[in-house]
Amino acid sequence: MKKGLWQIFGPVLVALFALLLFLFIPWEANFRDSDFLKVAASSGDATVFKGEKIKEDALKEGYIPFFGSSELSRFSPFHPSALAEKYQRNYRPLLLGAPGTQSLTQFLGMNALNLENKKAVLIISPQWFVKEGLREDSFAFYYSPLQVSQWIENLKTVEEKDKYLARRLLSYKKVKEDHFLKETLESIEKGEINEDAHLYFSLTRNLYAKEDELFSFLSLKKNYRKTLEKDEKLLPPQFNFADLDHLAFKIGERETKSNHFGIKDQFYHHRLAKDIGKLKNSQKNLDYCYSKEFGDFELILDNFAKKNTDCLFIIPPVNKKWSDYTGLSQEMLKEFGKKITFQLEQQGFKHILNLNDYAGENYFMEDTIHLGWRGWLKIDESLTTFLGEKSSLTYKIDPSFYSEEWEKRDPETI
């Protein structure tokens, strides 16, 4: 009888015991192999973005985090990853972002990272700043229970940013599906946090962290790495800005022959050509100056200030030929740049590269909104200077930037 019971329940008990060992014994995976990190750093993989372990190991090896969204995957010979590899720079970019990542998901991703006294790069896409900010589907895709658990586990004193973050998280269906998390966030929004929540989210974080260590390397996209290696071969042996700018012009000219917008042929044919008539004046009512995204962006600034992170903020332009066609206001984009620059400078962030004046430059953009051949090369100039400078930081975070008043403030009143 006992033997029969063991045959039935024994494998289950052994599996449960193995699971408990896996979850609670303090072992640690090591992803610091140089070839593996090269693939991971340029993969744009959502698993890397939502996890922790690979990012932590990359930072330990000296990688510089580049936070952004879809522009990070617009590879060419002039992409920061290609230039750093070809010319043996003393840094390598760790690309953290993909289509649909914005300030809220970026903050959750960077909150657990060891960015103390480090440098970083963040590309601020004006397109993030639509009225409601991050869309429901984009939030759900990049939502990481590991990152949220880590934030709550370490939350000892509820600050204004924590109340704001709890309120924003509660606006998404994906979060409210977890009843205990919903109740915890409602308490945090009121300025409260209890020990039961700390214990629960400490256990769940441990579970998700072990899952991250075990599975995060399995789904890496290697195609981007192959693209970069191919692009590097097109670069001359020695770095010379004028020569590279000439090469960027030639490649851009060659790859945009199908249209008069200066848009890469492949993008134009696959994404625009079929509906080109419908797109005329389709963006004339868009305005990026009034958005929930401004508060979400403040979470990032708060995080950088607490960790003494020195960041180069890049504001890319929108292709002027395209905006003239769709009716998107270049004047509005300048006003947006003015507002976001004010938010940065008022709190001590001084490294800001606003590229809006290059909106009409040939082959500066690869398509409608994404940096291209000459755009990436222009960034390389500022990036090299920024990374070579000694940091001198004096931050003073102003919680009023979380307010609805700031969200709705007219840039003309600044």
Side-chain angles (χ1 to χ4, degrees), residues 102-342:
Q102 295 181 200
S103 300
L104 188 57
T105 41
Q106 285 290 3
F107 167 76
L108 290 169
M110 67 175 64
N111 185 49
L113 293 182
N114 177 17
L115 295 175
E116 280 77 7
N117 304 310
K118 288 185 167 61
K119 292 202 173 189
V121 178
L122 193 150
I123 302 175
I124 308 169
S125 293
Q127 296 76 27
W128 295 355
F129 291 77
V130 292
K131 184 178 179 181
E132 296 301 320
L134 183 62
R135 286 172 21 175
E136 181 79 43
D137 57 347
S138 296
F139 175 83
F141 184 77
Y142 290 106
Y143 173 68
S144 169
L146 168 60
Q147 294 167 357
V148 174
S149 296
Q150 190 274 342
W151 164 57
I152 297 174
E153 177 193 8
N154 293 324
L155 189 60
K156 307 304 180 191
T157 303
V158 178
E159 301 176 3
E160 193 62 36
K161 74 173 178 61
D162 303 306
K163 295 178 185 178
Y164 174 87
L165 177 57
R167 183 165 64 252
R168 286 291 286 138
L169 290 174
L170 285 167
S171 70
Y172 291 98
K173 296 176 184 176
K174 184 73 175 177
V175 169
K176 289 185 286 191
E177 290 173 358
D178 184 330
H179 183 70
F180 188 74
L181 174 58
K182 178 176 177 290
E183 287 187 346
T184 301
L185 291 174
E186 288 171 345
S187 295
I188 294 172
E189 190 179 5
K190 297 174 185 175
E192 304 165 359
I193 184 72
N194 60 58
E195 287 304 314
D196 289 342
H198 278 141
L199 177 60
Y200 175 80
F201 287 103
S202 176
L203 293 172
T204 57
R205 182 190 182 281
N206 193 58
L207 171 64
Y208 291 129
K210 294 300 184 184
E211 180 184 356
D212 174 48
E213 290 188 40
L214 185 62
F215 298 111
S216 58
F217 67 95
L218 295 177
S219 64
L220 285 182
K221 303 172 187 174
K222 299 185 179 181
N223 55 314
Y224 287 163
R225 185 68 208 165
K226 292 176 182 177
T227 300
L228 281 171
E229 290 171 354
K230 183 180 177 181
D231 285 337
E232 288 168 33
K233 295 176 182 178
L234 299 176
L235 293 168
Q238 301 299 320
F239 180 88
N240 179 281
F241 183 86
D243 291 344
L244 287 176
D245 189 53
H246 179 68
L247 177 61
F249 192 98
K250 285 174 59 179
I251 293 176
E253 186 177 40
R254 185 178 69 230
E255 296 193 11
T256 59
K257 291 184 178 298
S258 66
N259 61 91
H260 66 278
F261 300 113
I263 292 173
K264 194 171 183 178
D265 295 328
Q266 184 180 17
F267 184 93
Y268 182 78
H269 288 301
H270 283 82
R271 302 283 295 275
L272 302 174
K274 184 176 68 173
D275 298 313
I276 194 67
K278 298 176 184 177
L279 294 170
K280 187 173 179 62
N281 292 323
S282 61
Q283 297 182 315
K284 61 184 180 181
N285 295 321
L286 284 180
D287 196 331
Y288 303 138
C289 295
Y290 312 97
S291 171
K292 286 182 169 54
E293 193 75 24
F294 286 101
D296 295 351
F297 182 67
E298 184 64 17
L299 289 168
I300 291 176
L301 302 188
D302 204 316
N303 186 274
F304 284 159
K306 281 186 169 55
K307 296 179 179 178
N308 209 44
T309 306
D310 195 2
C311 185
L312 172 63
F313 297 91
I314 300 170
I315 306 171
V318 173
N319 182 329
K320 188 175 185 303
K321 292 178 181 177
W322 181 249
S323 67
D324 287 346
Y325 183 77
T326 64
L328 184 70
S329 170
Q330 286 287 336
E331 186 59 35
M332 177 274 294
L333 290 169
K334 289 180 181 178
E335 289 295 292
F336 163 78
K338 178 182 176 182
K339 184 170 180 176
I340 202 72
T341 298
F342 180 85

Side-chain angles (χ1 to χ4, degrees), residues 9-25:
F9 295 109
V12 176
L13 293 173
V14 170
L16 181 60
F17 180 70
L19 178 62
L20 291 172
L21 284 177
F22 166 71
L23 292 178
F24 296 107
I25 285 183

Side-chain angles (χ1 to χ4, degrees), residues 26-43:
W27 66 275
E28 185 175 293
N30 185 351
F31 295 134
R32 294 170 72 175
D33 174 79
S34 60
D35 290 334
F36 174 81
L37 285 180
K38 281 183 180 180
V39 173
S42 57
S43 68

